[in-house]
Amino acid sequence: MDTKSNDFCPLCDSSAIFFWKDEKRGDYFQCVRCRSVYLGKDYHITKEAEKERYLLHNNDINDPRYLNFLTPVTLAIEANFTKDKLGLDFGAGPGPILTNHLRKKGYSVELYDPFFWDNPAVLQNRYDFIICTEVMEHFQNPKIEFELLKSLLNPKGKLLCMTDTFSESIDFPNWHYRRDLTHVFFYHGNALEYISKHFQFQSYEKKERLILFSL
């Protein structure tokens, strides 16, 4: 397929320009507005291949190393919510380690994942907090996904995300985060600002890999 000279950002609909070509994977573009970098939609892997990739992850819900990795999310929930509040683990994956941990602590958390916990009924509810850990980089249509996530939150609710963000200082071709075949959208700091304003969050804060959007 010929390299395209331009595209349109799937988050903010702005023009995007060709950024870099991976000879094995395809073309990446950078949005001129939110500065995010993403893989062109023509190069996304199939849903079947995507699911197979997720099944290769360590899905042990008692894995202490991954639980420690998720500690910032647990601490943020404990600091902001009492145990009578309802949460949703969006994109929980086959081994929902964080939900399992929070349930042990007495929190009520529902599960949703289009591959492993495809229960549309939970998307009819409203939640006080939504967990979206190591998920947003997989969004092929981030605009649609963030519209959904915002609509699922109660007033004063919070969306807790974890991801590696993109900056101009990153050596993109050699960036380990890019190499995962299911990672297709890499958020610039400008994109976080855009998400907060466009989807009408009251504020957002970023602490290393934790991003907290608040209504």
Side-chain angles (χ1 to χ4, degrees), residues 48-105:
E48 292 77 15
E50 189 176 359
K51 183 175 182 179
E52 289 177 5
R53 178 74 182 182
Y54 297 146
L55 288 170
L56 294 175
H57 294 174
N58 183 354
N59 300 316
D60 181 3
I61 62 173
N62 297 308
D63 181 2
R65 294 170 299 176
Y66 193 56
L67 188 58
N68 183 65
F69 173 73
L70 297 172
T71 294
V73 181
T74 302
L75 293 177
I77 291 171
E78 291 178 333
N80 287 281
F81 298 100
T82 54
K83 294 178 182 178
D84 60 320
K85 301 302 183 182
L86 180 62
L88 172 67
D89 189 346
F90 187 89
I97 185 171
L98 186 53
T99 288
N100 183 63
H101 180 63
L102 290 170
R103 285 174 175 174
K104 287 181 178 178
K105 286 179 170 287

Coordinates of all heavy atoms in Angstrom, one line a residue, residues 48-105:
E48 N -9.4 -11.1 15.7 CA -9.0 -12.4 16.1 C -7.6 -12.4 16.6 O -7.2 -13.0 17.6 CB -9.2 -13.4 15.0 CG -10.6 -13.7 14.6 CD -11.3 -12.6 13.8 OE1 -10.5 -11.7 13.2 OE2 -12.5 -12.6 13.6
A49 N -6.7 -11.7 15.8 CA -5.3 -11.6 16.2 C -5.1 -10.8 17.4 O -4.2 -11.1 18.3 CB -4.5 -11.0 15.0
E50 N -6.0 -9.8 17.6 CA -5.9 -9.0 18.8 C -6.2 -9.8 20.0 O -5.5 -9.7 21.0 CB -6.9 -7.8 18.6 CG -6.7 -6.7 19.7 CD -7.6 -5.6 19.5 OE1 -8.4 -5.5 18.5 OE2 -7.6 -4.6 20.3
K51 N -7.3 -10.6 20.0 CA -7.6 -11.4 21.1 C -6.5 -12.4 21.4 O -6.2 -12.6 22.6 CB -8.9 -12.1 20.8 CG -9.4 -13.0 22.0 CD -10.8 -13.6 21.8 CE -11.3 -14.4 23.0 NZ -12.6 -15.0 22.7
E52 N -6.0 -13.0 20.4 CA -4.9 -14.0 20.7 C -3.7 -13.3 21.3 O -3.1 -13.9 22.2 CB -4.4 -14.6 19.3 CG -5.5 -15.6 18.7 CD -5.0 -16.1 17.4 OE1 -3.9 -15.8 16.9 OE2 -5.8 -16.8 16.7
R53 N -3.4 -12.1 21.0 CA -2.3 -11.4 21.6 C -2.6 -11.1 23.1 O -1.7 -11.3 23.9 CB -2.1 -10.0 20.9 CG -1.1 -9.1 21.5 CD 0.3 -9.6 21.1 NE 1.3 -8.7 21.7 CZ 2.6 -8.9 21.6 NH1 3.1 -9.9 20.8 NH2 3.5 -8.1 22.1
Y54 N -3.8 -10.8 23.4 CA -4.2 -10.5 24.8 C -4.1 -11.8 25.7 O -3.7 -11.8 26.8 CB -5.6 -10.0 24.9 CG -5.8 -8.6 24.3 CD1 -7.0 -8.3 23.7 CD2 -4.8 -7.7 24.3 CE1 -7.2 -7.1 23.1 CE2 -4.9 -6.5 23.7 CZ -6.1 -6.1 23.1 OH -6.3 -4.9 22.5
L55 N -4.4 -12.9 25.0 CA -4.3 -14.2 25.8 C -2.8 -14.6 26.1 O -2.6 -15.5 26.9 CB -5.0 -15.3 24.9 CG -6.5 -15.2 24.9 CD1 -7.1 -16.2 23.9 CD2 -7.1 -15.5 26.3
L56 N -1.9 -14.0 25.4 CA -0.5 -14.2 25.7 C 0.0 -13.5 26.9 O 1.1 -13.8 27.5 CB 0.4 -13.8 24.5 CG 0.2 -14.6 23.2 CD1 1.0 -14.0 22.1 CD2 0.6 -16.1 23.4
H57 N -0.8 -12.5 27.4 CA -0.4 -11.8 28.6 C -0.4 -12.7 29.8 O -1.1 -13.7 29.9 CB -1.3 -10.6 28.8 CG -1.2 -9.5 27.7 ND1 -2.0 -8.4 27.6 CD2 -0.3 -9.4 26.7 CE1 -1.6 -7.7 26.6 NE2 -0.6 -8.3 26.0
N58 N 0.3 -12.3 30.9 CA 0.2 -13.0 32.1 C -1.1 -12.6 32.8 O -1.3 -11.5 33.2 CB 1.4 -12.6 33.1 CG 1.3 -13.3 34.4 OD1 0.4 -14.1 34.7 ND2 2.4 -13.1 35.2
N59 N -2.1 -13.6 32.8 CA -3.4 -13.3 33.3 C -3.7 -13.8 34.7 O -4.8 -14.0 35.1 CB -4.4 -13.9 32.3 CG -4.2 -13.4 30.9 OD1 -4.1 -12.2 30.8 ND2 -4.2 -14.2 29.9
D60 N -2.6 -14.1 35.5 CA -2.8 -14.5 36.8 C -3.3 -13.4 37.7 O -2.6 -12.4 37.9 CB -1.4 -15.0 37.4 CG -1.5 -15.6 38.8 OD1 -2.6 -15.6 39.4 OD2 -0.5 -15.9 39.3
I61 N -4.5 -13.5 38.2 CA -5.1 -12.5 39.0 C -4.4 -12.3 40.4 O -4.7 -11.3 41.1 CB -6.7 -12.7 39.3 CG1 -6.9 -14.0 40.1 CG2 -7.4 -12.7 37.9 CD1 -8.4 -14.2 40.4
N62 N -3.5 -13.2 40.7 CA -2.8 -13.0 42.0 C -1.3 -12.6 41.7 O -0.5 -12.7 42.6 CB -2.8 -14.3 42.7 CG -4.3 -14.7 43.2 OD1 -4.9 -13.9 43.7 ND2 -4.7 -15.9 42.8
D63 N -1.0 -12.2 40.5 CA 0.4 -11.8 40.2 C 0.8 -10.6 41.0 O 0.3 -9.5 40.7 CB 0.5 -11.5 38.7 CG 1.9 -11.2 38.3 OD1 2.8 -11.2 39.1 OD2 2.1 -10.9 37.1
P64 N 1.7 -10.7 42.0 CA 2.1 -9.6 42.8 C 2.8 -8.5 42.1 O 2.7 -7.3 42.4 CB 2.9 -10.2 43.9 CG 3.5 -11.4 43.3 CD 2.4 -11.9 42.3
R65 N 3.5 -8.8 41.0 CA 4.3 -7.8 40.3 C 3.4 -6.9 39.5 O 3.5 -5.6 39.6 CB 5.3 -8.5 39.3 CG 6.4 -9.2 40.0 CD 7.2 -10.0 39.0 NE 6.3 -11.0 38.3 CZ 6.7 -11.8 37.3 NH1 7.9 -11.7 36.9 NH2 5.9 -12.7 36.8
Y66 N 2.3 -7.4 38.9 CA 1.4 -6.6 38.1 C 0.5 -5.8 39.1 O 0.2 -4.6 38.9 CB 0.6 -7.4 37.2 CG -0.2 -6.6 36.2 CD1 0.5 -5.7 35.4 CD2 -1.6 -6.6 36.1 CE1 -0.2 -4.9 34.4 CE2 -2.2 -5.8 35.1 CZ -1.5 -5.0 34.3 OH -2.2 -4.2 33.4
L67 N 0.2 -6.4 40.2 CA -0.6 -5.7 41.2 C 0.1 -4.5 41.8 O -0.4 -3.4 42.0 CB -1.0 -6.7 42.3 CG -2.0 -6.1 43.4 CD1 -3.3 -5.7 42.7 CD2 -2.3 -7.2 44.4
N68 N 1.4 -4.7 42.0 CA 2.3 -3.6 42.4 C 2.3 -2.5 41.4 O 2.3 -1.3 41.7 CB 3.7 -4.1 42.8 CG 4.6 -3.0 43.3 OD1 4.3 -2.5 44.4 ND2 5.6 -2.7 42.6
F69 N 2.4 -2.9 40.1 CA 2.4 -1.9 39.0 C 1.1 -1.1 39.0 O 1.2 0.1 38.7 CB 2.5 -2.7 37.7 CG 2.4 -1.9 36.5 CD1 3.4 -1.0 36.0 CD2 1.2 -2.0 35.7 CE1 3.2 -0.3 34.9 CE2 1.1 -1.3 34.5 CZ 2.1 -0.4 34.1
L70 N 0.0 -1.7 39.4 CA -1.3 -1.0 39.5 C -1.6 -0.2 40.8 O -2.6 0.4 40.9 CB -2.4 -2.0 39.2 CG -2.4 -2.7 37.8 CD1 -3.4 -3.8 37.8 CD2 -2.6 -1.7 36.7
T71 N -0.6 -0.2 41.7 CA -0.8 0.4 43.0 C -1.3 1.9 42.9 O -2.1 2.3 43.7 CB 0.5 0.3 43.8 OG1 0.8 -1.1 44.1 CG2 0.4 1.1 45.1
P72 N -0.7 2.7 42.0 CA -1.2 4.1 41.9 C -2.7 4.2 41.7 O -3.4 5.1 42.2 CB -0.5 4.7 40.7 CG 0.8 3.9 40.7 CD 0.4 2.5 41.0
V73 N -3.3 3.3 40.9 CA -4.8 3.3 40.7 C -5.5 2.9 42.0 O -6.5 3.6 42.4 CB -5.2 2.3 39.6 CG1 -6.7 2.4 39.4 CG2 -4.4 2.7 38.3
T74 N -5.0 1.9 42.7 CA -5.6 1.4 43.9 C -5.6 2.6 44.9 O -6.6 2.8 45.6 CB -4.9 0.2 44.5 OG1 -4.9 -0.8 43.5 CG2 -5.6 -0.3 45.8
L75 N -4.5 3.2 45.1 CA -4.3 4.3 46.1 C -5.3 5.5 45.7 O -5.8 6.1 46.6 CB -2.9 4.8 46.1 CG -1.9 3.8 46.7 CD1 -0.5 4.3 46.6 CD2 -2.2 3.4 48.1
A76 N -5.4 5.8 44.4 CA -6.3 6.9 44.0 C -7.7 6.6 44.3 O -8.5 7.4 44.7 CB -6.1 7.2 42.5
I77 N -8.1 5.3 44.1 CA -9.5 4.9 44.4 C -9.8 5.0 45.9 O -10.8 5.5 46.4 CB -9.8 3.5 43.9 CG1 -9.8 3.5 42.4 CG2 -11.1 3.0 44.5 CD1 -9.9 2.2 41.7
E78 N -8.8 4.5 46.7 CA -9.0 4.5 48.2 C -9.0 5.9 48.7 O -9.7 6.2 49.7 CB -7.8 3.7 48.8 CG -7.9 2.2 48.6 CD -6.8 1.5 49.1 OE1 -5.7 2.0 49.3 OE2 -7.0 0.3 49.5
A79 N -8.3 6.9 48.0 CA -8.2 8.2 48.5 C -9.5 9.0 48.1 O -9.8 10.0 48.8 CB -7.0 8.9 47.9
N80 N -10.2 8.6 47.1 CA -11.3 9.4 46.6 C -12.7 8.8 46.8 O -13.7 9.5 46.6 CB -11.1 9.6 45.1 CG -10.0 10.6 44.8 OD1 -10.2 11.8 44.9 ND2 -8.8 10.1 44.4
F81 N -12.8 7.5 47.1 CA -14.1 6.8 47.1 C -14.2 5.9 48.3 O -13.3 5.2 48.7 CB -14.3 6.0 45.8 CG -14.3 6.8 44.6 CD1 -13.1 6.9 43.8 CD2 -15.4 7.5 44.2 CE1 -13.1 7.7 42.6 CE2 -15.4 8.3 43.1 CZ -14.2 8.4 42.3
T82 N -15.4 6.0 48.9 CA -15.8 5.0 50.0 C -16.3 3.7 49.3 O -16.6 3.7 48.1 CB -16.8 5.7 50.9 OG1 -17.9 6.1 50.0 CG2 -16.3 6.8 51.6
K83 N -16.4 2.7 50.1 CA -16.7 1.4 49.6 C -18.1 1.2 49.2 O -18.5 0.2 48.7 CB -16.3 0.3 50.6 CG -14.7 0.3 50.8 CD -14.3 -0.7 51.8 CE -12.8 -0.6 52.0 NZ -12.2 -1.5 53.0
D84 N -19.0 2.2 49.4 CA -20.4 2.1 48.9 C -20.5 2.6 47.5 O -21.6 2.6 46.9 CB -21.3 2.9 49.8 CG -20.9 4.4 49.9 OD1 -19.7 4.7 49.9 OD2 -21.8 5.3 49.9
K85 N -19.4 3.1 46.9 CA -19.4 3.6 45.5 C -19.2 2.5 44.6 O -18.5 1.5 44.9 CB -18.3 4.7 45.3 CG -18.5 5.9 46.3 CD -19.8 6.6 46.1 CE -19.9 7.8 47.0 NZ -21.3 8.5 46.9
L86 N -19.8 2.6 43.4 CA -19.7 1.6 42.3 C -18.7 1.9 41.3 O -18.7 3.0 40.8 CB -21.1 1.4 41.7 CG -21.2 0.3 40.6 CD1 -20.9 -1.1 41.2 CD2 -22.6 0.4 40.0
G87 N -17.9 0.9 40.9 CA -16.9 1.1 39.9 C -17.0 0.2 38.7 O -17.7 -0.8 38.8
L88 N -16.4 0.5 37.6 CA -16.4 -0.3 36.4 C -14.9 -0.5 35.9 O -14.2 0.5 35.8 CB -17.2 0.4 35.3 CG -17.1 -0.3 33.9 CD1 -17.8 -1.7 33.9 CD2 -17.7 0.6 32.8
D89 N -14.5 -1.7 35.7 CA -13.2 -2.0 35.1 C -13.4 -2.2 33.6 O -13.9 -3.2 33.2 CB -12.6 -3.3 35.8 CG -11.2 -3.5 35.4 OD1 -10.7 -2.9 34.4 OD2 -10.6 -4.4 36.0
F90 N -13.1 -1.1 32.9 CA -13.4 -1.1 31.4 C -12.1 -1.6 30.7 O -11.1 -1.0 30.8 CB -13.7 0.3 31.0 CG -14.2 0.5 29.6 CD1 -15.5 0.3 29.3 CD2 -13.3 0.8 28.6 CE1 -16.0 0.5 28.0 CE2 -13.7 0.9 27.3 CZ -15.1 0.8 27.0
G91 N -12.3 -2.7 29.9 CA -11.1 -3.3 29.3 C -10.4 -4.1 30.2 O -9.1 -4.1 30.3
A92 N -11.1 -4.9 31.0 CA -10.5 -5.7 32.1 C -9.6 -6.8 31.7 O -8.7 -7.2 32.5 CB -11.6 -6.3 33.0
G93 N -9.7 -7.3 30.5 CA -8.9 -8.4 30.0 C -9.3 -9.7 30.6 O -10.2 -9.8 31.4
P94 N -8.6 -10.7 30.2 CA -9.0 -12.1 30.7 C -8.7 -12.3 32.1 O -9.3 -13.2 32.8 CB -8.1 -13.0 29.8 CG -7.0 -12.2 29.4 CD -7.5 -10.8 29.3
G95 N -7.8 -11.6 32.7 CA -7.4 -11.8 34.1 C -7.6 -10.4 34.9 O -6.6 -9.7 35.0
P96 N -8.8 -10.1 35.4 CA -9.0 -8.8 36.0 C -8.4 -8.6 37.4 O -9.1 -8.6 38.4 CB -10.5 -8.7 36.0 CG -11.0 -10.1 36.1 CD -10.0 -10.9 35.3
I97 N -7.1 -8.5 37.4 CA -6.4 -8.5 38.7 C -6.8 -7.3 39.6 O -6.9 -7.5 40.8 CB -4.9 -8.5 38.4 CG1 -4.1 -8.6 39.7 CG2 -4.4 -7.3 37.6 CD1 -2.6 -8.9 39.5
L98 N -7.0 -6.1 39.0 CA -7.3 -5.0 39.8 C -8.7 -5.1 40.4 O -8.9 -4.8 41.6 CB -7.1 -3.7 39.0 CG -7.3 -2.4 39.7 CD1 -6.4 -2.3 40.9 CD2 -7.0 -1.2 38.7
T99 N -9.6 -5.5 39.6 CA -11.0 -5.7 40.1 C -11.0 -6.8 41.3 O -11.6 -6.6 42.3 CB -11.9 -6.1 39.0 OG1 -12.2 -5.0 38.2 CG2 -13.3 -6.6 39.6
N100 N -10.3 -7.8 41.1 CA -10.2 -8.9 42.1 C -9.6 -8.3 43.4 O -10.1 -8.6 44.5 CB -9.3 -10.0 41.6 CG -9.2 -11.2 42.6 OD1 -10.2 -11.8 42.9 ND2 -8.0 -11.4 43.1
H101 N -8.6 -7.5 43.3 CA -8.0 -6.9 44.4 C -8.9 -5.9 45.1 O -9.0 -5.9 46.4 CB -6.7 -6.1 44.0 CG -6.0 -5.5 45.1 ND1 -5.4 -6.2 46.1 CD2 -5.7 -4.1 45.3 CE1 -4.8 -5.3 46.9 NE2 -4.9 -4.1 46.5
L102 N -9.6 -5.1 44.3 CA -10.5 -4.1 44.9 C -11.7 -4.8 45.6 O -12.2 -4.3 46.6 CB -11.0 -3.1 43.9 CG -9.9 -2.1 43.4 CD1 -10.4 -1.4 42.1 CD2 -9.6 -1.1 44.5
R103 N -12.2 -5.8 45.0 CA -13.3 -6.6 45.6 C -12.9 -7.2 46.9 O -13.7 -7.2 47.9 CB -13.8 -7.7 44.6 CG -14.6 -7.1 43.4 CD -14.9 -8.2 42.5 NE -15.8 -7.8 41.4 CZ -16.2 -8.5 40.3 NH1 -15.7 -9.8 40.2 NH2 -17.0 -8.0 39.4
K104 N -11.7 -7.6 47.0 CA -11.2 -8.2 48.3 C -11.2 -7.1 49.4 O -11.3 -7.4 50.6 CB -9.8 -8.8 48.1 CG -9.8 -10.1 47.4 CD -8.4 -10.7 47.3 CE -8.4 -12.0 46.6 NZ -7.0 -12.6 46.4
K105 N -11.0 -5.8 48.9 CA -11.0 -4.7 49.9 C -12.4 -4.2 50.2 O -12.5 -3.3 51.0 CB -10.1 -3.6 49.2 CG -8.6 -3.8 49.3 CD -7.9 -2.7 48.6 CE -6.4 -2.8 48.9 NZ -6.0 -2.4 50.3

